[in-house]
């Protein structure tokens, strides 16, 4: 058993394991393995939520290594980003493509 808590420490869990995959392929492999074993999976990015989204006794995928903007489509005014990308990381890359977030809260440390 591993231990996990969110940024404030108010949410805690003892998942079977905490795994930090470094690629999309690694995530797929972990999902396939968990499915074969009947293990439930939860994912976490910045661990900023007050809701128990990542609390699990199963497998916890910490996606912290999967960050960044994959591509920007200026015509469609969209961006494809990896799951643990923090909101504050988006500005410079989006700006370089002539894009921006249309609405952003005052806290920007959460992961997408």
């Amino acid at each position: 058993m591993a231990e996990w808590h969110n940024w404030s420490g108010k949410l805690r869990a003892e998942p079977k394991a905490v795994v930090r995959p470094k690629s999309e392929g690694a995530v797929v492999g972990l999902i396939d393995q968990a499915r074969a074993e009947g293990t439930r999976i939860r994912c976490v990015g910045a661990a900023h939520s007050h809701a128990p989204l990542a609390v699990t006794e199963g497998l916890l995928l910490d996606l912290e290594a999967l960050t960044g903007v994959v591509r920007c489509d200026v015509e469609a005014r969209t961006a494809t980003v990896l799951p643990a990308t923090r909101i504050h990381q988006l500005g410079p890359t989006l700006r370089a493509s002539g894009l921006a977030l249309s609405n952003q809260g005052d806290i920007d440390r959460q992961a997408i």
Side-chain angles (χ1 to χ4, degrees), residues 25-37:
V27 172
V28 171
L30 289 163
I31 291 169
D32 288 344
Q33 179 181 348
R35 181 181 294 136
E37 295 172 355

Side-chain angles (χ1 to χ4, degrees), residues 7-96:
W7 70 276
S8 69
K10 290 183 179 180
L11 295 176
R12 296 186 173 279
E14 292 185 359
K16 176 180 176 179
V18 177
V19 183
R20 293 175 178 83
K22 297 192 180 345
S23 70
E24 185 177 329
V27 172
V28 171
L30 289 163
I31 291 169
D32 288 344
Q33 179 181 348
R35 181 181 294 136
E37 295 172 355
T39 301
R40 293 181 181 263
I41 297 176
R42 295 280 181 128
C43 294
V44 65
H48 198 275
S49 180
H50 292 288
L53 302 173
V55 173
T56 184
E57 292 178 357
L59 180 64
L60 182 60
L61 298 184
D62 183 336
L63 304 176
E64 70 181 0
L66 301 175
T67 65
V69 177
V70 176
R71 72 179 150 282
C72 292
D73 184 333
V74 176
E75 288 185 26
R77 297 176 56 185
T78 62
T80 302
V81 301
L82 294 172
T85 304
R86 306 290 178 104
I87 293 169
H88 70 88
Q89 294 172 313
L90 293 174
T93 304
L94 294 179
R95 182 180 306 136

